[in-house]
Amino acid sequence: MQVKTQVAIAIADEHLLRKKQKENEEKAAEWTRKAELAVDKKQDDLARVALERSLTCSQLAAGFAQQVADQKMQVETLKSALRKLEQKLQEAHSKSDLMMAQHRRSRSLTKASDARMAVGGGTASPLSIA
């Protein structure tokens, strides 16, 4: 259950990082557009400031992109671990079921042997019944 929770949290974090990356990419594009408008109006100081902000937003977006890639790898690792745990759990359930069936069969063979001995008074082994 804890691994499933960790996978869900990691996926949510990945989505949040993607959202932040997209927001910064959009801000960078907006600041670039503002810089172009400032150049058209011959306001070089404003254009320079807008380009600096655009560059900052682009750098942030690149940082978020790297975090998204790292988070995606972590999500895949957690998913793989979850699949392995689920497989081991399934194997344990199957082994338990097999052992229960063997136990029931052994008990029924013992009861049958006891019943034969009680009725016939002879020696009956569980192997001769099977």
Side-chain angles (χ1 to χ4, degrees):
M1 192 64 157
Q2 288 178 337
V3 177
K4 284 183 180 183
T5 302
Q6 289 301 316
V7 170
I9 290 170
I11 291 171
D13 288 346
E14 182 183 350
H15 287 292
L16 180 64
L17 290 168
R18 283 187 196 278
K19 181 180 176 185
K20 294 288 186 183
Q21 176 189 1
K22 184 178 178 183
E23 287 173 2
N24 279 284
E25 287 171 349
E26 291 171 354
K27 286 180 185 177
E30 180 64 21
W31 281 112
T32 300
R33 186 186 67 75
K34 288 180 179 181
E36 291 169 353
L37 287 173
V39 167
D40 289 345
K41 294 181 180 180
K42 308 275 189 228
Q43 296 176 333
D44 293 339
D45 290 343
L46 290 176
R48 190 176 345 272
V49 170
L51 284 175
E52 288 172 1
R53 289 187 180 174
S54 174
L55 180 60
T56 300
C57 290
S58 292
Q59 290 170 341
L60 285 170
F64 279 115
Q66 181 60 49
Q67 288 183 10
V68 166
D70 293 345
Q71 189 69 18
K72 186 173 185 175
M73 286 177 42
Q74 183 180 2
V75 165
E76 290 307 316
T77 300
L78 286 171
K79 283 181 176 180
S80 175
L82 177 61
R83 282 191 295 272
K84 286 177 183 176
L85 283 173
E86 287 175 337
Q87 181 180 7
K88 283 186 178 191
L89 183 62
Q90 182 61 39
E91 289 171 4
H93 282 297
S94 295
K95 189 172 183 177
S96 173
D97 291 344
L98 176 63
M99 291 176 77
M100 292 288 285
Q102 287 173 339
H103 177 70
R104 283 191 299 269
R105 182 174 181 273
S106 174
R107 258 191 354 203
S108 68
L109 287 175
T110 301
K111 285 181 181 180
S113 175
D114 291 347
R116 269 197 156 162
M117 288 179 67
V119 171
T123 59
S125 71
L127 296 176
S128 66
I129 295 173

